[in-house]
Amino acid sequence: MAKRDRSVKEPTKKQTALNRRERELQRRVLLGVGITGALVVILLATGLLQQLVLIPNSPVASANGVKITTDRYQARVKYERALLVNQLAQYQQIQEQLDPGGTNNFFGSQIQQLEQQLSSPETLALSVLDNMIDETLIRQEAAKRGLSVDPADLQKEVQKNFGYEPDATPTPIMTPATITSTQVVTTSAGVTGTQVVSVTVTPAPTATPYTETEYQRIYKETLDNIKQSSGVTEAEFRALTESRLLRTKLQEAVTEDMPTTEEQIKARHILVSVADTATDDEKKAADEKIKAALARLKNGELFDAVAKEVSDDSTAANGGDLGWFGRGRMVAEFEDAAFKLEVGQFSDIVTSQFGYHIIMVTEKDPARALDESALGAKKDQAFEEFLTKLRDESTIERTWNTSKIPPTPIGG
């Protein structure tokens, strides 16, 4: 048997205990590092989950249980903001070309309105939310009524939005061809004769503005830009177009039985205007002026003659003629007085927010046909009332707050 090497010393009990404690400490340190690392990974994953999944999929609102998620809402806000920016740029360009001095009130008012909308991100964001809720309610109501948009009609509408209408009738234009005529010519020598003059006028069809290939190219480029800038997908873009068509179909269904006639009167008036800031002396002068006009009418002077001379209204040149109108077109005080009058009768002095009036009814019709504009306005009003009722009868929950508004891009 070999002898034990006595040059190698066995660890003492104390050293063995110390080594054991050191190994345990290292094990605990490694375990702590591992747990810390795992917690960091979990926190990072949770943050990513929150940012990439939970927040985007959280609702900003719901309509009868149908949720409007944050990501789709924010994409829509960006899209609508981009549309306003483009409209503003177009109006500014048109104004620069046609009205560089800024004298046209139309361009100025449109530009100011668009600038105001863009300067208030919260107002724009809330407006978009309201629109998305309405679109959801309209889709639900349309489905209840069996209303839908034919895919072919949707495609035509999308093409129309891009200016591509392959089935449209070509518009004739004038292109050169020969027409012969004669004119009298006197020479420098005083000799008079005739000569032939040729001009050209031949109608020819206008070609479609661009081909289907060109339309497809522009369509793809536009949709790619929209998705890149706002996040709105092609499917969402087409759904927006479909929503507009569904809204029209629903409005037609809701208003199909609306009367196309109404009680109307034809009237003239004399207006002596009184501003909100009028002094007591100015009010007194206006009062005396309208009373003098009424006295003249009572003395037998013609209404239109007095109106031309006295009225402050733009209708004065036409003897105060207001044309035909039905109920709901004039301020309440004016309307109440006017519809009580008989044909040929004029009123006493009527006070409204505009000043002092004298009204004379010249014709009445209990069932006068509405013109296209008036009928359209009544249908629009009736549909808005329908939507208000639909909102009231629906379960709408809003979880929106300002943190849901997407950041406004620099310069936009």
Side-chain angles (χ1 to χ4, degrees):
M1 176 181 290
K3 294 183 178 179
R4 180 181 296 176
D5 187 358
R6 299 203 179 259
S7 63
V8 179
K9 295 183 178 179
E10 294 183 0
T12 65
K13 291 181 179 181
K14 186 177 180 180
Q15 289 175 330
T16 301
L18 286 173
N19 289 338
R20 188 184 300 116
R21 282 199 296 269
E22 186 176 346
R23 286 195 299 272
E24 179 65 19
L25 180 61
Q26 289 176 346
R27 187 183 70 80
R28 290 182 180 182
V29 168
L30 290 173
L31 181 62
V33 170
I35 291 172
T36 302
L39 287 173
V40 169
V41 170
I42 291 171
L43 288 173
L44 289 173
T46 302
L48 289 172
L49 179 68
Q50 184 82 359
Q51 291 296 322
L52 299 179
V53 179
L54 298 181
I55 290 178
N57 287 318
S58 64
V60 289
S62 66
N64 297 322
V66 176
K67 293 180 180 180
I68 299 171
T69 59
T70 298
D71 59 341
R72 302 336 306 151
Y73 164 73
Q74 290 184 336
R76 179 70 175 274
V77 172
K78 292 177 185 177
Y79 174 71
E80 297 292 347
R81 183 191 293 148
L83 288 182
L84 291 177
V85 170
N86 287 338
Q87 288 177 24
L88 177 60
Q90 289 173 3
Y91 273 114
Q92 289 172 333
Q93 184 177 8
I94 293 172
Q95 184 183 48
E96 185 177 343
Q97 293 174 350
L98 302 181
D99 184 35
T103 57
N104 190 309
N105 291 332
F106 173 77
F107 294 126
S109 63
Q110 293 297 315
I111 289 172
Q112 184 180 19
Q113 182 179 349
L114 290 168
E115 288 175 337
Q116 287 175 346
Q117 288 177 277
L118 288 167
S119 68
S120 178
E122 185 171 333
T123 301
L124 173 61
L126 285 171
S127 175
V128 170
L129 182 60
D130 289 340
N131 289 339
M132 293 182 78
I133 290 171
D134 279 354
E135 288 162 10
T136 303
L137 295 177
I138 286 171
R139 283 184 176 276
Q140 293 171 349
E141 184 65 21
K144 288 180 184 177
R145 294 170 179 251
L147 301 174
S148 62
V149 176
D150 186 275
D153 292 336
L154 174 59
Q155 178 63 14
K156 285 182 180 179
E157 187 67 18
V158 170
Q159 291 175 337
K160 184 178 178 181
N161 290 338
F162 282 83
Y164 179 64
E165 298 183 72
D167 299 330
T169 303
T171 304
I173 60 172
M174 307 308 284
T175 54
T178 302
I179 292 180
T180 304
S181 65
T182 59
Q183 65 179 7
V184 176
V185 178
T186 302
T187 67
S188 58
V191 179
T192 301
T194 60
Q195 71 177 22
V196 175
V197 179
S198 296
V199 293
T200 60
V201 186
T202 300
T206 303
T208 303
Y210 51 89
T211 64
E212 182 176 1
T213 301
E214 183 70 2
Y215 156 69
Q216 292 291 354
R217 183 187 67 79
I218 294 173
Y219 175 80
K220 183 178 184 305
E221 285 183 2
T222 303
L223 270 294
D224 287 345
N225 289 335
I226 288 173
K227 186 174 182 180
Q228 183 178 0
S229 62
S230 68
V232 169
T233 65
E234 179 181 2
E236 289 173 319
F237 175 81
R238 296 180 75 89
L240 277 173
T241 305
E242 184 183 38
S243 290
R244 289 194 293 270
L245 294 175
L246 269 180
R247 184 187 180 101
T248 300
K249 281 179 172 284
L250 183 58
Q251 178 167 336
E252 289 172 352
V254 169
T255 61
E256 64 179 349
D257 295 328
M258 175 168 284
T260 57
T261 64
E262 68 173 359
E263 179 189 10
Q264 291 191 26
I265 60 175
K266 188 177 183 182
R268 297 178 183 272
H269 83 144
I270 297 169
L271 170 67
V272 175
S273 60
V274 180
D276 294 337
T277 57
T279 64
D280 290 341
D281 287 343
E282 289 171 336
K283 291 177 182 178
K284 182 180 179 182
D287 181 69
E288 291 174 352
K289 184 177 179 181
I290 197 69
K291 285 179 178 177
L294 181 61
R296 291 172 62 180
L297 294 174
K298 289 180 177 179
N299 287 332
E301 292 191 46
L302 295 176
F303 194 98
D304 59 339
V306 178
K308 285 180 181 179
E309 184 180 335
V310 175
S311 186
D312 297 326
D313 186 64
S314 59
T315 62
N318 296 323
D321 188 7
L322 295 167
W324 288 93
F325 58 90
R327 295 184 185 274
R329 313 280 182 83
M330 305 294 183
V331 292
E333 303 90 344
F334 189 100
E335 179 183 293
D336 291 343
F339 276 86
K340 290 177 183 176
L341 295 172
E342 299 297 330
V343 174
Q345 181 184 9
F346 57 81
S347 69
D348 202 343
I349 296 170
V350 177
T351 304
S352 80
Q353 66 195 66
F354 301 107
Y356 302 123
H357 308 260
I358 303 172
I359 310 163
M360 179 180 181
V361 171
T362 57
E363 292 184 62
K364 278 190 173 186
D365 190 336
R368 183 176 175 81
L370 292 164
D371 61 36
E372 186 176 348
S373 175
L375 182 59
K378 278 190 167 292
K379 286 185 175 183
D380 288 343
Q381 181 181 351
F383 188 63
E384 284 303 318
E385 292 171 355
F386 169 81
L387 280 181
T388 299
K389 183 180 179 183
L390 186 61
R391 296 182 197 112
D392 292 340
E393 293 175 348
S394 299
T395 302
I396 298 173
E397 296 180 1
R398 297 170 184 262
T399 52
W400 180 93
N401 57 58
T402 52
S403 69
K404 303 288 188 180
I405 302 174
T408 302
I410 297 174

